[in-house]
Each structure stands twice: as C-alpha cells, then as structure tokens.
Amino acid sequence: MAKSLAELASPYLHGLAPYTPGKPIEEVEREFGITGAIKLASNENPLGPSPLALRALREALPEAHRYPDGGGYFLKARLAARLGLTPDHLVLGNGCNEVLELMARAFLLAGDEVVIADPAFVIYGMLAHLQGCTTIRVPLKAWTHDLEAMAKAVTPRTKMVFVGNPNNPTGTAVGPTELTAFMDALPAEVIVVIDEAYIEYVPQEMIPDSLTYVRQGRWAIVLRTFSKIYGLAGLRIGYGMAPPSIVELLERIRAPFNVNALAQRAALAALEDEHHVTNSRMFNELGKAYLSSELHRLGLQFPPSVTNFLLIDVNRDGRVVADALLRMGVIVRPLGGAHLKTHIRVTIGTPPENERFIDALRSVLQKGSHQQSAISRQGKS
Ligand SMILES: *Cc1c(COP(=O)(O)O)cnc(C)c1O
C-alpha cells in the first residue's frame, strides 16, 4: 500500500493549521462588492512608510537585477552603531518572523520543552509544535506575562522561553524590574527569545534594557522589526540581536539572500527618519486616547495597551462581530481560542479610520443587541 502524502509529511504537520493573517483590503472589496475598505487587522503603521524610505526605494529600483547584499553590511553597521553592538551581534531576517523560524530550526529538537505565555503571538507555538516540542503555556496575569510563573514552569527539559514584550494580542508589556528578576531566575542554559516588535511604541521608562543580556553574552535573542512603526511590513525585514555565538549558528542555516535589496535600502533610510517615527507615535497616542474614550462610552473593556492595537472584549462572539464589520468594509482581527472568543484585536488607525471603526462597531453592537433581545423574547413566548 503506497503511503499517503500526509504520511510522507512531517508528523508534526498534522496538528497545524495555516496562520490566518488579516484579509487584504482588495480581497474584502471584491468579496463584498464595496470600495474604500479600511484595514485595522495587522498592526501596520497607518501613516505608511517614511518618505525617506520611499525615496530610497525609487533610487534602488534600477539595481533590481542585482542580488542583494547577502550579509546586509550597511544595515548591520548602522544598526550596530545605533544600538551599541557590533555587526556580529546581528542577524537580518525576511521579517523578524524569519528570525523566529531560524531560532526554532537551530535549537528546538523533538522532546524539548518550550515555555510560552497564554495567549501570546501564535507563531511561537506553531514553530515549537513543528519541531516536535512540548509547549508549556502559562496563563497571563492581569493580561500581562506572569514571568514568575513562567520561570517556575521551567524544567530541566526546557530549551527555550518566548517573551513577547509587548505581548501580541494583549498590547501589554513587562517592565525593567520584572524582566531582570525573570532573567536572574532562569537557568543559564535556557535560551530566551524576547520579541520586541512593538517596542518603539512603549513609553521610554517602561522599556527594559534587554540588550544588556545580549552584550553580556547571555543566551538570549532580542527581535525587532521594520514592519510596525517603521511602516515597511510589505517589504519583509526584521532583525535579531544576540551574542555572536548564537548569530553564527543562525547564519549557517539562513538562506543566502533572505532579505531583499529594496528592503535593506528602505530600512536604512527609515532608521534616519526620526520625524516619521515620532509623528507615528504621536498619532498612535491620539488615536488610542480617542478609541479608549469611545470604547468606554460603548461600555467595552480592553487591557491598557502600550502598542498600536487594542484587544477589545465585545461581549459576544468576536468572529460574528468581525464578520459584520467586514461587510461594512472595516477589517479587524477576531481571535478565538480558549480565552478570547469574545475579543477582537484592532489596530489604531488614522483619525478618520478610527471614527469609521467606532461608527461601524456601534451599529454592529446595536443590531446585535436588537437580535439578542428578539431571540430572548422568542425564547420566552
Ligand atoms: C508583527 C509581529 C512580528 C513579526 O513581524 P515581521 O517582522 O513582519 O515578521 C513578530 N512578533 C510579533 C509579536 C508581531 O506582532
């Protein structure tokens, strides 16, 4: 009897479903026959890329027939200088998602344990599962990583611990004191992945000096990306910062030209545009204040966010609410899972986008409550 394709595939593929990203705007418009849809589903920067990055892209286009600089020489040099590291502390990835993948492939073996918060960024669990690891999930405490409990969950079989800081999908962060205590409590041979995809949105006094651990040679990697505040999600570029001993191992498995030439040029230019970053942060704070007060007015709860998104408890099936919003051309992210069935995650947009979201949400919730009261009346009669 010939084997089925599923039998030929890695056994760890069985429990996996593809990652479901937020729907692209064009797809939603086509599906529902509408125009002017807005996307608040993937935590992109609503102001777009920096104008300096756009100019760099235009200038780089004629060189598109050349392979990129496989070592990312200029970008690594620039990042190293900014961060007080040397280029051999840096690994560039096709989004920091690729760096997560490299870490998993380089270090995670079948039977290893991995400690993750619950809920956390779903990719951590998927990668661990794919390597045949056992995932230990530690519930959040007050919507934030319970680092004490995570340290206690470590056993002699624990290979890696993931800390999303800030955490996606809750938008919360741990501060310097908690992170230091956590790092001190962990056995030295446990590898710590600190995912700082949203760190540029966090108030300065709350940002842990995670690079200290990298400089000290601790087995830790800190991840950052150009996809979020830098507005370059479509180009796919992010990076990891780790002791050279870790970087050297990742370099062995990294695909030769994993980060394209346009992405490298745009990232370099985006780093120089302090104004765009400051402006993005300011717009985000304004949008967050507006959304917070409107959501309170609607009687909805959400954890305090230090990022560019909010996790909103809509008090009814989040998927139903997200689908209803979709039909009105507002794309948000339903979450589901064990804890978040009644939640949606919404990216903070431009002021008109935020207003449009609130108007649509208000109308969906009103319709929903009419329907619910109609159902309960029916039930009684
Ligand atoms: C968006 C995101 C990333 C991935 O970003 P890319 O650099 O685009 O791959 C990583 N971690 C978290 C928590 C994110 O939300």
Side-chain angles (χ1 to χ4, degrees):
M1 215 0 224
K3 284 187 175 172
S4 73
L5 199 57
E7 283 168 322
L8 294 176
S10 157
Y12 306 121
L13 284 185
H14 294 319
L16 280 183
Y19 176 79
T20 38
K23 284 197 186 193
I25 289 176
E26 295 76 16
E27 189 183 325
V28 170
E29 292 182 343
R30 214 178 329 114
E31 195 174 331
F32 297 105
I34 54 177
T35 53
I38 60 169
K39 186 177 175 209
L40 303 173
S42 302
N43 304 338
E44 296 139 340
N45 184 338
L47 302 185
S50 143
L52 298 190
L54 290 177
R55 194 173 71 197
L57 284 171
R58 279 191 294 270
E59 286 170 6
L61 281 175
E63 291 301 309
H65 62 302
R66 301 282 177 208
Y67 278 106
D69 168 10
Y73 176 82
F74 291 105
L75 183 56
K76 279 190 189 173
R78 190 73 202 96
L79 283 169
R82 280 172 70 98
L83 299 162
L85 299 169
T86 52
D88 60 356
H89 286 96
L90 288 160
V91 56
L92 302 182
N94 197 261
C96 70
N97 198 85
E98 189 193 15
V99 185
L100 283 167
E101 254 178 67
L102 294 176
M103 285 300 289
R105 277 166 51 214
F107 293 105
L108 297 183
L109 304 176
D112 287 346
E113 282 178 9
V114 164
V115 176
I116 303 178
D118 189 20
F121 192 42
V122 291
I123 297 293
Y124 311 149
M126 285 174 72
L127 292 174
H129 180 87
L130 193 55
Q131 298 300 119
C133 297
T134 305
T135 305
I136 313 288
R137 293 179 193 274
V138 179
L140 301 178
K141 199 162 97 184
W143 295 112
T144 314
H145 275 70
D146 186 350
L147 290 183
E148 246 174 76
M150 285 178 77
K152 285 195 190 117
V154 167
T155 75
R157 301 175 60 163
T158 305
K159 175 74 68 70
M160 199 175 274
V161 176
F162 288 86
V163 180
N165 199 42
N167 188 38
N168 179 1
T170 54
T172 52
V174 295
T177 324
E178 295 116 296
L179 190 69
T180 306
F182 177 66
M183 297 299 279
D184 291 347
L186 285 184
E189 65 272 17
V190 173
I191 301 167
V192 189
V193 177
I194 305 175
D195 181 349
E196 297 189 338
Y198 300 94
I199 203 73
E200 296 86 359
Y201 287 106
V202 178
Q204 199 59 41
E205 67 280 4
M206 279 182 67
I207 301 181
D209 188 10
S210 51
L211 295 187
T212 304
Y213 305 109
V214 171
R215 289 187 201 101
Q216 287 168 350
R218 178 75 170 77
W219 290 351
I221 186 162
V222 180
L223 305 177
R224 293 192 189 159
T225 182
F226 289 95
S227 298
K228 305 288 157 64
I229 208 166
Y230 289 103
L232 299 176
L235 293 176
R236 311 305 301 124
I237 178 164
Y239 56 102
M241 296 160 282
S245 54
I246 291 184
V247 171
E248 193 270 323
L249 292 171
L250 301 184
E251 286 292 328
R252 294 188 201 183
I253 53 173
R254 181 177 66 75
F257 301 104
N258 62 328
V259 179
N260 73 76
L262 295 175
Q264 292 187 40
R265 292 283 289 269
L268 258 175
L271 279 178
E272 301 314 312
D273 196 345
E274 283 297 335
H275 174 73
H276 188 65
V277 173
T278 314
N279 205 34
S280 301
R281 207 181 281 126
M282 191 193 72
F283 261 87
N284 188 62
E285 286 306 310
L286 286 174
K288 200 184 343 179
Y290 166 78
L291 289 174
S292 301
S293 78
E294 292 298 320
L295 291 169
H296 282 137
R297 214 192 294 251
L298 290 170
L300 301 180
Q301 308 267 316
F302 50 94
S305 168
V306 290
T307 61
N308 65 338
F309 59 88
L310 295 172
L311 178 70
I312 304 167
D313 186 352
V314 288
N315 295 319
R316 59 210 80 192
D317 192 322
R319 202 161 293 276
V320 171
V321 171
D323 280 346
L325 289 170
L326 204 56
R327 280 189 287 274
M328 301 173 77
V330 178
I331 314 169
V332 304
R333 195 89 152 77
L335 289 150
H339 312 291
L340 302 174
K341 282 203 168 32
T342 64
H343 290 76
I344 56 173
R345 195 195 64 199
V346 180
T347 307
I348 297 164
T350 60
E353 287 172 340
N354 296 332
E355 282 175 32
R356 172 110 178 260
F357 162 68
I358 290 291
D359 288 347
L361 181 64
R362 188 184 296 117
S363 110
V364 167
L365 295 181
Q366 271 163 7
K367 265 186 228 147
S369 59
H370 290 315
Q371 268 160 17
Q372 273 185 348
S373 48
I375 289 165
S376 60
R377 273 199 304 278
Q378 273 177 3
K380 280 183 198 116
S381 62

